[in-house]
Amino acid sequence: SAIEDRNVERTMVSATYEFDNPESENFIDYFKITAYTQYAYSEDDSKLDVASSTSRGVTTPAHQLKNDYDLKDDSYGANLQLRSDFINPNLNHRLTYGLDYSLTSNSRKRAKIQTGGVTATTTVKDSPDSDTTLLGIYLQDEISFNNSKWEIIPGIRFDYYDLDSTVDSIYLQSSKSENPVDINKQVLNPSLSILYKTNKNLTLYGKYNKGFRAPQYSEINTTFGNLAHFYYIVNNPDLKSETSDNFEVGINGDYEKFDFGLNGFWSNFDNRIDSYTRIANDSQGYYRYQFQNKDKAEIYGIEFNSNYNFNAEPSGFSLINSAAWTVGNDTSTSSYTPLTSIDPFKLITGLRFDSESEKWGSELIATYTGVAKTSSSNTYFVPDASTIFDLISYYNVNDRLSLDIGLYNIFDTKYYNYQTVKNESPTAADLDKFSEPG
């Protein structure tokens, strides 16, 4: 038996000042600054009565186990955005520029207290206490031409990332603890967008941007062990920062009764950080997992969304649609391997009704999820395709209070989230517990 108690406390204070004057004759037409601080504390405690068991020739007597887990996640930061407009007879510039700054401190401690047939107290930290500093400085220029349908938007962003870890005696108590790795990275990423407005309703566009993501503290320095279930997670001091080249083309339409967006994208990654990867077992036969880089990877796909109103007013019936088809491959070798971090095809369609007074409304939503693409050698569980139906309604009491009520998964369909079960055996006796709510 198990009794679990989870508690999350979060306190956030923020302050914002905003100035907007398009007619300003000063250099700055728009100015916004926000400062914030947040303190978050999560507890995940449990009490278990554990039955006697025998595994690998070792018998563990029945005992009681108390788990006392907590996570501190404190942060503060600020962001500043400014805009300057330059209107000329033939050429217009709208400069947007600013900076983002944050400092986040994380600490997670796990205490296990065993009594009864087994008496022991263990306190560990899966990751060392970590401070993560982020600084971004950016500049973007929206260039438009009078009497022209073209718009060009170049941009550039500087990112600074600093991960600083602190080792203490609790972290070193873990039998699997490794010397943590600190990271300090600076990178400059350009971007470029080109828009062409064929008419007042239809816009074509193309985009390019350079992407960057450094490893999080939990990805590079985690050393979690669950030896009772014969596995542990080891850190990866060689984990590199992920970079990418991202391309996108699309078309947006905005008509009296119908609006839509259709876009295709392709991203080419170097050192992509994917989910946990199983590596060689240790000398005692325990499974080992760690975050690893994919030397080369690609992700491409198509996204579509639309909204059709049966009349020209925002009230009444409307038909909504959204679809996303994505493919991801590890391209490090000539034989491409599907990335398990990619979700399967999803289609959402629904019929919505909004009252003329905008006081209330309802929508019936159908969500179809396809089968995930996996390698031919995959032996883990892959869920079947599924379709679920939800009925959701709202009522606006006034401008500040609204009520929602929803009946989800109306036909009580049993279905799974692929990301939840992608590392589970298809013959596992407890597979049902990973299914989504009925």
Side-chain angles (χ1 to χ4, degrees):
S1 67
I3 300 173
E4 189 169 25
D5 182 21
R6 293 185 178 181
N7 180 50
V8 178
E9 298 177 1
R10 184 172 71 93
T11 301
M12 180 175 181
V13 178
S14 66
T16 299
Y17 175 80
E18 186 173 11
F19 165 82
D20 189 3
N21 182 8
E23 307 300 325
S24 172
E25 296 183 358
N26 297 323
F27 182 80
I28 297 175
D29 299 284
Y30 176 85
F31 174 93
K32 182 178 180 180
I33 184 169
T34 299
Y36 66 90
T37 181
Q38 175 177 281
Y39 303 95
Y41 177 71
S42 304
E43 290 180 305
D44 187 358
D45 302 337
S46 57
K47 295 180 180 180
L48 297 85
D49 288 320
V50 185
S52 174
S53 62
T54 300
S55 181
R56 298 195 179 189
V58 178
T59 298
T60 302
H63 60 280
Q64 290 75 47
L65 175 62
K66 178 182 178 182
N67 291 323
D68 183 4
Y69 299 170
D70 59 51
L71 168 66
K72 294 182 179 180
D73 189 337
D74 300 334
S75 62
Y76 63 85
N79 53 70
L80 170 67
Q81 185 178 90
L82 305 100
R83 195 187 75 233
S84 301
D85 298 333
F86 302 95
I87 309 300
N88 295 311
N90 298 312
L91 183 65
N92 304 316
H93 292 270
R94 168 169 283 190
L95 295 177
T96 302
Y97 48 100
L99 60 86
D100 299 316
Y101 169 81
S102 67
L103 173 62
T104 303
S105 299
N106 296 103
S107 177
R108 184 171 190 249
K109 185 171 63 176
R110 297 190 302 115
K112 288 181 173 289
I113 304 168
Q114 301 180 75
T115 56
V118 178
T119 302
T121 300
T122 306
T123 303
V124 297
K125 289 181 177 178
D126 303 325
S127 301
D129 295 349
S130 303
D131 292 330
T132 304
T133 302
L134 301 175
L135 173 64
I137 302 173
Y138 59 90
L139 170 65
Q140 173 183 286
D141 186 10
E142 298 176 55
I143 305 171
S144 60
F145 310 88
N146 291 340
N147 302 317
S148 174
K149 297 180 178 181
W150 291 93
E151 186 173 341
I152 302 173
I153 310 175
I156 194 165
R157 179 182 176 96
F158 168 80
D159 280 300
Y160 170 85
Y161 180 94
D162 183 78
L163 172 64
D164 186 22
S165 303
T166 303
V167 175
D168 58 17
S169 58
I170 299 177
Y171 172 73
L172 293 174
Q173 285 187 51
S174 172
S175 61
K176 302 301 178 185
S177 64
E178 300 280 351
N179 290 329
V181 175
D182 291 338
I183 302 175
N184 187 282
K185 291 286 185 181
Q186 303 91 38
V187 64
L188 202 62
N189 291 319
S191 65
L192 178 65
S193 299
I194 300 177
L195 291 79
Y196 178 73
K197 300 178 181 179
T198 60
N199 53 50
K200 67 177 183 179
N201 304 112
L202 208 60
T203 301
L204 307 176
Y205 69 88
K207 294 181 180 180
Y208 165 79
N209 74 280
K210 188 82 174 175
F212 163 80
R213 186 174 86 80
Q216 300 178 27
Y217 81 98
S218 56
E219 294 172 327
I220 195 169
N221 289 328
T222 295
T223 56
F224 174 78
N226 190 336
L227 302 189
H229 290 271
F230 314 112
Y231 79 90
Y232 54 90
I233 297 166
V234 296
N235 71 336
N236 184 358
D238 297 323
L239 197 63
K240 302 180 181 67
S241 296
E242 172 186 298
T243 59
S244 61
D245 292 288
N246 308 288
F247 302 87
E248 181 179 343
V249 293
I251 179 171
N252 290 326
D254 187 4
Y255 295 86
E256 186 178 30
K257 293 184 179 181
F258 181 60
D259 60 74
F260 72 94
L262 174 66
N263 71 289
F265 61 90
W266 178 70
S267 296
N268 185 38
F269 294 87
D270 287 324
N271 299 315
R272 176 176 169 82
I273 302 171
D274 216 42
S275 54
Y276 285 119
T277 301
R278 182 173 163 182
I279 58 178
N281 295 357
D282 71 358
S283 58
Q284 296 175 309
Y286 289 103
Y287 299 131
R288 294 193 302 156
Y289 298 86
Q290 71 176 182
F291 280 98
Q292 290 191 333
N293 292 114
K294 307 295 185 184
D295 290 341
K296 299 286 184 180
E298 66 174 6
I299 296 177
Y300 59 88
I302 299 173
E303 296 176 338
F304 172 77
N305 62 80
S306 68
N307 185 77
Y308 176 77
N309 285 51
F310 289 90
N311 56 59
E313 303 297 327
S315 60
F317 286 97
S318 59
L319 188 64
I320 55 177
N321 293 284
S322 176
W325 173 76
T326 308
V327 175
N329 293 307
D330 178 0
T331 58
S332 303
T333 62
S334 57
S335 56
Y336 289 7
T337 304
L339 297 173
T340 60
S341 58
I342 303 301
D343 287 326
F345 171 77
K346 180 173 283 189
L347 170 66
I348 300 172
T349 186
L351 182 65
R352 179 184 177 96
F353 177 81
D354 293 287
S355 65
E356 189 173 349
S357 64
E358 299 184 356
K359 272 284 190 180
W360 64 276
S362 294
E363 57 186 13
L364 178 64
I365 302 292
T367 302
Y368 170 81
T369 304
V371 179
K373 184 181 179 181
T374 58
S375 65
S376 57
S377 60
N378 177 67
T379 59
Y380 296 111
F381 178 59
V382 180
D384 294 330
S386 63
T387 303
I388 61 169
F389 293 85
D390 304 321
L391 179 62
I392 307 167
S393 300
Y394 72 90
Y395 178 73
N396 293 324
V397 179
N398 53 46
D399 290 342
R400 299 188 180 185
L401 178 64
S402 63
L403 306 176
D404 297 296
I405 185 169
L407 180 60
Y408 298 89
N409 195 358
I410 295 174
F411 299 108
D412 199 21
T413 301
K414 185 164 123 178
Y415 70 104
Y416 296 85
N417 181 337
Y418 172 63
Q419 297 301 329
T420 303
V421 297
K422 64 184 180 182
N423 292 318
E424 301 299 326
S425 167
T427 59
D430 61 349
L431 192 61
D432 277 2
K433 77 179 183 181
F434 295 102
S435 63
E436 297 301 307

